[in-house]
Every structure is written in structure tokens, then in C-alpha cells.
Amino acid sequence: DAKTTQPTSMDCAEGRAANLPCNHSTISGNEYVYWYRQIHSQGPQYIIHGLKNNETNEMASLIITEDRKSSTLILPHATLRDTAVYYCIVGGATNKLIFGTGTLLAVQP
Amino acid sequence: SAVISQKPSRDICQRGTSLTIQCQVDSQVTMMFWYRQQPGQSLTLIATANQGSEATYESGFVIDKFPISRPNLTFSTLTVSNMSPEDSSIYLCSVEDQYNEQFFGPGTRLTVL
């Protein structure tokens, strides 16, 4: 079973920040938090991952709470092309990824 | 990031036949994975394929049904054997790089009649 809980769907206005939450209360000390997204009819795309520090790259920011039991993926300026299913996954280094049902983010014009 | 290609991109097959899906990556990687995504569903891991060892299958998947080859560090195949309509899915391979980032191929869309 997936180790994460995410809302089924979210809406976001184009140009605004999209904040996608994820609960992973059973995360263990050596497990990373990964975020992927899947645009319709494509393979999943890696976004970002982190262990306990906040991370930022050209696509997004990852905010992990101090107790590591939850995290938020932030897309700073959502565009229509960011409409996708976003998966929050917990896994150890060099480990398999167990996908949950994800959050369908719909960016509205 | 690794660039992954899969062949075929899609196929329509008759029940009882077998299909071999190829996965090619543009760099040498230790770990490769095969996933299945049934219509309207999330991804399910089938097996982990490391070069030089037997594939490790997840619960519910067996080698007789999904034999996997991993002859070198850039290539793997997954065979879907004795197919039935329930095997209609998208099959995806992925690889993990040295930074613990996993990259996915475009998928093979299989329809079994």
C-alpha cells in the first residue's frame, strides 16, 4: 500500500501558486519524499525529492515539515501545461517507488 | 537526466499470444524497473531488474507471466505472456540515476482483444 495521503483533486488559477499537500505520517528516518507528475498519456515526470531540508529547483519547491510527517509541493506560477496528476511518494534511496492515487491538479485559465 | 525509449509504443494483440517490450536508455544504469498502469489507475510496480541478477517481482506478479531480461546496463525487455484482455494496460520502464532520481519511458500501450 502507498504510504502517502493526498487530496483527490485540486484547482488552481493560471499564474497563481499551486500548493499540493501530502501526508506521510509513517515515514521512516532514511526515506525520501519524491514528487512526480503524469500528464495525460505520458510517462511520469520527475519533479523533485528531499529528505528533511526544503528543496527548490527550476520546476518547483518542496517544503517538508520538521517532523517529516507531511510536505507541500509548490508550483510558483502555475500554467495550463501544469495540469496533471501529481504523485507524492515515500521511498528509500535506490528503492522502488510505490505510487498512490495522486492529486489531479486542474489549472484554470 | 536519462533518456528512455520503449518499443513498441503501442500494439493490439490477440489473447493467448505474447508480446515483448523493449526499453533502451542512453546511459548505463544499475537499476531498472517495470510498471503497469491499467486504464484509469495509478502505476503498479511489476519488478525490479538489475543487470547480472534475476529480476525481483512484486506480489501478484510472477516470472512465468512477465519474464524479464536485463542483458546489459542500457537495455531490458519485459514479455507479457499468454495475454488476456485483463493485461490491457500501459507498460512503463524506468531507471534510477546516481542522484536517486527515477526517469520513466513513454510507455507501451497494449490492447488485448
Side-chain angles (χ1 to χ4, degrees):
Chain A
D1 293 335
K3 300 179 182 179
T4 63
T5 304
Q6 299 176 252
T8 302
S9 64
M10 292 181 63
D11 288 344
C12 177
E14 188 177 19
R16 304 296 296 270
N19 296 275
L20 291 91
C22 179
N23 288 322
H24 32 80
S25 58
T26 60
I27 191 171
S28 60
N30 63 346
E31 289 184 315
Y32 289 77
V33 180
Y34 296 85
W35 283 85
Y36 285 78
R37 72 180 182 184
Q38 188 173 27
I39 297 170
H40 183 63
S41 297
Q42 298 182 22
Q45 176 189 20
Y46 167 85
I47 301 174
I48 199 167
H49 77 284
L51 185 62
K52 52 185 177 181
N53 296 324
N54 298 337
E55 303 287 345
T56 296
N57 62 21
E58 65 278 4
M59 289 184 67
S61 295
L62 173 60
I63 308 298
I64 303 174
T65 58
E66 191 168 344
D67 63 7
R68 302 209 323 124
K69 293 185 177 181
S70 65
S71 61
T72 301
L73 179 75
I74 302 172
L75 307 179
H77 305 287
T79 70
L80 298 178
R81 286 179 290 183
D82 291 322
T83 292
V85 177
Y86 286 77
Y87 295 100
C88 169
I89 302 164
V90 167
T94 65
N95 207 345
K96 54 196 179 187
L97 299 178
I98 306 300
F99 283 76
T101 54
T103 296
L104 173 59
L105 175 68
V107 181
Q108 308 291 342
Chain B
S1 62
V3 177
I4 303 164
S5 60
Q6 289 185 230
K7 290 182 181 179
S9 59
R10 59 178 62 230
D11 207 343
I12 300 173
C13 301
Q14 296 296 322
R15 70 170 66 211
T17 63
S18 297
L19 176 71
T20 295
I21 302 167
Q22 299 179 7
C23 177
Q24 179 78 51
V25 62
D26 68 343
S27 58
Q28 293 185 340
V29 293
T30 301
M31 303 191 75
M32 296 182 78
F33 306 86
W34 285 98
Y35 290 81
R36 178 176 75 181
Q37 186 170 30
Q38 294 175 300
Q41 303 295 313
S42 183
L43 283 77
T44 301
L45 180 66
I46 297 173
T48 302
N50 293 336
Q51 196 269 338
S53 63
E54 294 287 330
T56 302
Y57 290 83
E58 297 299 304
S59 175
F61 298 96
V62 295
I63 188 171
D64 290 347
K65 176 67 176 178
F66 297 101
I68 289 171
S69 78
R70 182 76 202 277
N72 57 52
L73 292 174
T74 63
F75 188 78
S76 177
T77 67
L78 170 76
T79 298
V80 186
S81 304
N82 188 25
M83 288 183 285
S84 67
E86 292 71 34
D87 294 320
S88 297
S89 293
I90 299 173
Y91 292 85
L92 302 107
C93 69
S94 71
V95 304
E96 185 171 276
D97 69 6
Q98 66 270 36
Y99 304 111
N100 302 324
E101 298 173 10
Q102 205 168 117
F103 300 95
F104 286 79
T108 295
R109 185 179 296 273
L110 171 63
T111 301
V112 184
L113 302 177

